Amino acid sequence: MAKTQEFRPNSKLTTALKSEEFKKFIELRQIIGREEYQIIPRIKNDEATIIVEDALKKLKLLLSRARNSLMIWDNNSKVKFKLWYGSTKEESKQIILNRINASIQIANTYTVDNFRAVTPGELPAGSYAGAIPNYPNIIILAEPYGTAGTSGKNSRAGILAHEISHFNAVGITQKDPNSPADDLCDKDCNELEFAKEEPSKALYNSNNYEFFIESFDTSK
């Protein structure tokens, strides 16, 4: 087990999954949290806990930057927004601003206690994480979550933004009615093209939301 420490951006903890540590973290949470949707007691002094806490810290930073951009709403803000949402309509901006504000409210209440391990068969194979729309106090983690990077697409913070967007309380992002396990634009779908072709649907696609939030990461 790693000693609890203040996070440093260049820490080895952020460069790669500590697979055995993360596996122990997931397995222990499964043992502790067998009751459905139970909030699991915090596990201290453990590398995976640091991974999750850092992701939460970064998520709050990115959400704050995204909100500021929409509040300023200058040309740079509009260009970035249009890239992921296909328009700069005021009503479109307001939908995403409301979602960001609700995401911030949830993120500000979250600690490692709000995460539990996936149970066998609960999520599609290869999933990083999952959420239950009417249970905004829980995000489900799968072992691959620890392999995600700390910046860029599908980062640890971005994955949390994606899952939070599924909550009813955040203005739920939707699933593909033809494939309920998938988001509106998932797998082989190109989110940028989706924004151009289906801007009204892109507003409710969790990947477009995740990648928009991740676009405010200035890390190299």
Side-chain angles (χ1 to χ4, degrees), residues 3 13 59 102 139 146 157 165 172 174:
K3 183 179 179 182
L13 296 176
L59 171 64
I139 287 179
S165 79
I172 183 170
Q174 300 168 353

Side-chain angles (χ1 to χ4, degrees), residues 52-65 67 98-115 135-139 156-165 167 169-170 209 213:
V52 171
E53 287 178 339
D54 175 57
L56 279 171
K57 180 179 178 181
K58 188 158 192 178
L59 171 64
K60 294 172 189 178
L61 174 63
L62 297 183
L63 289 170
S64 177
R65 288 175 178 172
R67 178 172 62 181
N98 289 345
R99 183 174 299 137
I100 289 169
N101 284 332
S103 296
I104 290 171
Q105 285 185 314
I106 287 177
N108 283 341
T109 70
Y110 259 44
T111 70
V112 72
D113 295 347
N114 294 92
F115 297 84
Y135 283 87
N137 61 339
I138 290 291
I139 287 179
R156 292 170 186 161
I159 291 166
L160 298 188
H162 178 120
E163 298 307 334
I164 287 174
S165 79
F167 293 140
V170 180
Y209 182 67
I213 298 302

Side-chain angles (χ1 to χ4, degrees), residues 11-202:
S11 167
K12 290 188 291 184
L13 296 176
T14 69
T15 61
L17 167 67
K18 306 296 183 181
S19 58
E20 288 307 309
E21 282 295 326
F22 203 80
K23 188 173 181 180
K24 290 174 188 175
F25 171 82
I26 291 294
E27 288 176 348
L28 184 53
R29 285 177 179 271
Q30 283 181 326
I31 292 168
I32 294 173
R34 286 203 182 280
E35 291 185 19
E36 193 174 19
Y37 312 138
Q38 176 183 335
I39 295 180
I40 302 160
R42 177 171 178 163
I43 302 168
K44 297 180 179 178
N45 300 324
D46 140 79
E47 249 171 331
T49 296
I50 297 174
I51 286 173
V52 171
E53 287 178 339
D54 175 57
L56 279 171
K57 180 179 178 181
K58 188 158 192 178
L59 171 64
K60 294 172 189 178
L61 174 63
L62 297 183
L63 289 170
S64 177
R65 288 175 178 172
R67 178 172 62 181
N68 289 344
S69 177
L70 297 190
M71 295 297 289
I72 294 168
W73 203 232
D74 60 8
N75 187 61
N76 289 337
S77 301
K78 291 176 182 178
V79 168
K80 181 172 286 193
F81 188 87
K82 188 172 183 178
L83 187 67
W84 293 107
Y85 289 112
S87 82
T88 56
K89 292 180 180 179
E90 178 62 27
E91 56 266 40
S92 298
K93 182 192 80 169
Q94 196 59 50
I95 286 169
I96 301 305
L97 183 58
N98 289 345
R99 183 174 299 137
I100 289 169
N101 284 332
S103 296
I104 290 171
Q105 285 185 314
I106 287 177
N108 283 341
T109 70
Y110 259 44
T111 70
V112 72
D113 295 347
N114 294 92
F115 297 84
R116 73 166 173 83
V118 65
T119 55
E122 186 175 19
L123 297 176
S127 296
Y128 292 114
I132 302 159
N134 55 342
Y135 283 87
N137 61 339
I138 290 291
I139 287 179
I140 304 161
L141 291 182
E143 192 172 339
Y145 178 76
T147 67
T150 58
S151 60
K153 264 190 179 182
N154 291 318
S155 65
R156 292 170 186 161
I159 291 166
L160 298 188
H162 178 120
E163 298 307 334
I164 287 174
S165 79
H166 286 315
F167 293 140
N168 294 332
V170 180
I172 183 170
T173 50
Q174 300 168 353
K175 295 290 186 180
D176 183 347
N178 298 314
S179 181
D182 297 327
D183 297 313
L184 289 173
C185 177
D186 205 356
K187 295 183 178 176
D188 296 328
C189 178
N190 182 305
E191 288 79 11
L192 295 176
E193 291 301 317
F194 188 64
K196 292 178 185 176
E197 296 169 6
E198 301 280 3
S200 61
K201 290 184 179 179

